[in-house]
Amino acid sequence: MRHFDYKDGVMHAEDVSLARIAQEVGTPVYVYSAATLTRHFNVFAGAFEGRDVLVAYSVKANSNLAVLSLLGKLGAGADVVSGGELARALTAGIPASKIVFSGVGKKPAEMRAALKAGIRMFNVESEPELEALNAVAVDMGMRAPISFRVNPDVTAGGHEKISTGKAENKFGVAWSAAEAAYARAAELPGIEIVGVDVHIGSQIDELAPFKAAIEKVSGLIERLRAAGHSIKMFDIGGGLGIPYGSNAPAPPLPSEYGAMVKEATAHLDVQMVFEPGRMIAGNAGVLLSTVTYVKRGENRDFLIVDAAMNDLIRPALYDAYHEIEPIIAPKPTTPQKLYDVVGPVCESGDTFTKQREFPQMVSGDVIVMHSAGAYGAVQAGQYNTRPLVPEVLVSGDRYAVVRDRPLVEEILKTESVPSWL
Ligand code: LLP
């Protein structure tokens, strides 16, 4: 069931009209559906029924405190990649015991904060990081629970910029160095080995690469156990793709993914950890934008809208496709036209789509860009001094602004001109 759909000719998020949100909050604005977030989390967690699993939602996909708090109440843990994300997850009430800390460049201060909080485990990505973590833990009189993120050299992911499990990627400990890394970790007084971690990429639309990675890592787990290491947890990361648009190919369902994982890991007595991001948040959010001008070019028409690449960078960065619709359902008599949909930022890359067919539009029409709940607001910036786009959470017939649009004066206040200038 779609929680963003036309009702009486107006697109709604659950029971709230998007026209009303556009009017009351202004555009551009992100709108999330609590019911969709809930359904996605429950469907994902439900796919592992009967197994000991921790679903550590990948905070980077959508880190709004309201979203984290909702998921936390459903039982989600969190996969964080910075001290900032750690603070968000804890502030949202996610217990430290359900937090895993990933990322290639953790700094000592971030390690310290995570150790102090008592997180479940660190996913360590290199030997220098291991040594740094050991030093921090020893200094604090603690032992840091770790998995190594191993790089299984598997090809996966919808775009080269989001593929992470190939040997040439910066992520994880090289496959050939993994066993030596565990041997070193076992010697360190500040380190407690608890598991193995792998994450091969994002927007993966088939099961085969996941299966290949799980099989490879299962073999590693058996070798590590034979070498005397205690491997209690197997974190297989995130990465399950989502359909971008109604005509897009459908990636495997969470139930299919779950069945495959359960079968492929049946022989291992481990607690499974998952780090889904996009699958939970992607189709739980949209970006609303208003058409500022319809401009006639030499050989094409442009819809110049008030959202831009600084608000939703995915099309510019990954050539990503987002389905776009007017929030008022077109009449059957409305002619179809080809448009380039572009933002006001001074770059040709500030283009959401080129030469796509839409019902004819006029200035003032509001459009919705679908599948923008993951890697949308979190990747927004203030380029061209465009204030960060606000976020709204809908639940049933209620909505709340869960991140304000800053005033330009507030942005300017964070900067200063030195007195000597
Ligand atoms: N775990 C780790 C260690 C990750 O690096 C990521 C995503 C995830 C989990 C969550 O993956 P997901 O389930 O969301 O696929 N900005 C890009 C996506 C970057 C993904 C980065 N890592 C985009 O907009 O497509």
Side-chain angles (χ1 to χ4, degrees):
M1 160 193 183
R2 257 175 46 132
H3 288 114
F4 296 94
D5 227 334
Y6 294 110
K7 283 184 192 165
D8 300 326
V10 181
M11 178 88 61
H12 281 59
E14 303 187 30
D15 298 326
V16 180
S17 147
L18 293 184
R20 182 179 153 210
I21 294 176
Q23 173 83 45
E24 294 176 1
V25 185
T27 58
V29 57
Y30 279 100
V31 181
Y32 310 131
S33 153
T36 311
L37 288 163
T38 302
R39 180 164 50 97
H40 288 172
F41 179 80
N42 287 338
V43 164
F44 191 90
F48 303 98
E49 193 95 46
R51 285 286 290 273
D52 182 12
V53 301
L54 169 63
V55 181
Y57 165 69
S58 192
V59 171
K60 65 168 76 70
N62 183 324
S63 59
N64 187 284
L65 282 178
V67 170
L68 297 182
S69 157
L70 182 157
L71 293 172
K73 288 199 173 86
L74 295 172
D79 162 46
V80 302
V81 293
S82 69
E85 285 192 352
L86 173 67
R88 280 183 180 276
L90 293 171
T91 303
I94 296 180
S97 62
K98 289 186 178 177
I99 297 178
V100 300
F101 195 164
S102 306
V104 294
K106 302 175 199 79
K107 295 176 75 163
E110 295 175 312
M111 294 169 170
R112 193 171 282 276
L115 275 170
K116 191 160 162 245
I119 66 161
R120 170 73 65 98
M121 74 179 168
F122 291 83
N123 288 331
V124 174
E125 302 220 16
S126 66
E127 288 213 38
E129 181 192 335
L130 176 76
E131 303 291 337
L133 180 58
N134 177 58
V136 173
V138 167
D139 185 53
M140 294 174 73
M142 296 178 75
R143 290 182 79 202
I146 69 133
S147 284
F148 276 107
R149 174 170 174 183
V150 293
N151 185 327
D153 195 15
V154 165
T155 306
H159 188 277
E160 60 158 311
K161 289 203 174 97
I162 55 175
S163 169
T164 56
K166 289 288 294 164
E168 69 254 31
N169 296 130
K170 70 178 175 183
F171 299 100
V173 172
W175 189 251
S176 58
E179 280 150 273
Y182 275 91
R184 173 67 185 145
E187 295 169 0
L188 298 174
I191 298 293
E192 181 195 0
I193 295 169
V194 294
V196 179
D197 167 48
V198 66
H199 169 82
I200 54 175
S202 197
Q203 187 53 18
I204 300 171
D205 58 4
E206 46 181 1
L207 291 179
F210 288 116
K211 192 157 186 264
I214 291 173
E215 281 168 359
K216 250 182 125 166
V217 177
S218 298
L220 175 66
I221 290 176
E222 280 164 352
R223 291 195 296 283
L224 291 171
R225 283 178 168 168
H229 302 297
S230 161
I231 305 296
K232 299 186 284 259
M233 278 185 270
F234 183 2
D235 181 341
I236 66 169
L240 189 59
I242 61 165
Y244 277 90
S246 33
N247 299 323
L253 296 172
S255 56
E256 294 164 336
Y257 173 78
M260 181 279 290
V261 173
K262 281 207 238 177
E263 200 195 313
T265 58
H267 62 295
L268 295 172
D269 179 22
V270 280
Q271 184 194 41
M272 301 294 303
V273 181
F274 299 91
E275 302 170 356
R278 191 190 312 265
M279 197 271 135
I280 309 282
N283 276 322
V286 298
L287 175 60
L288 295 184
S289 182
T290 303
V291 177
T292 310
Y293 301 110
V294 182
K295 170 170 160 170
R296 278 236 119 109
E298 196 64 64
N299 55 13
R300 56 184 65 206
D301 291 342
F302 296 95
L303 290 182
I304 302 177
V305 300
D306 66 358
M309 64 190 288
N310 70 295
D311 305 311
L312 176 65
I313 203 173
R314 303 193 69 259
L317 200 53
Y318 320 113
D319 302 314
Y321 176 94
H322 287 265
E323 190 170 10
I324 301 175
E325 293 178 298
I327 64 163
I328 304 298
K331 298 193 182 66
T333 50
T334 309
Q336 293 287 111
K337 302 267 289 180
L338 283 180
Y339 293 111
D340 284 15
V341 182
V342 302
V345 160
C346 306
E347 297 213 23
S348 298
D350 185 20
T351 296
F352 292 110
T353 189
K354 285 186 175 160
Q355 295 297 284
R356 205 187 287 177
E357 204 171 62
F358 294 101
Q360 184 163 26
M361 292 201 222
V362 296
S363 150
D365 283 351
V366 179
I367 59 168
V368 55
M369 300 195 214
H370 289 281
S371 312
Y375 307 111
V378 284
Q379 296 200 107
Q382 303 199 130
Y383 187 35
N384 282 200
T385 310
R386 293 170 45 83
L388 273 188
V389 62
E391 298 169 274
V392 160
L393 182 68
V394 168
S395 178
D397 59 4
R398 288 174 301 189
Y399 85 82
V401 175
V402 293
R403 180 173 79 188
D404 290 331
R405 191 191 312 276
L407 300 170
V408 170
E409 298 81 78
E410 287 167 332
I411 301 174
L412 298 189
K413 251 199 220 145
T414 64
E415 299 173 29
S416 55
V417 181
S419 58
W420 42 259
L421 203 73

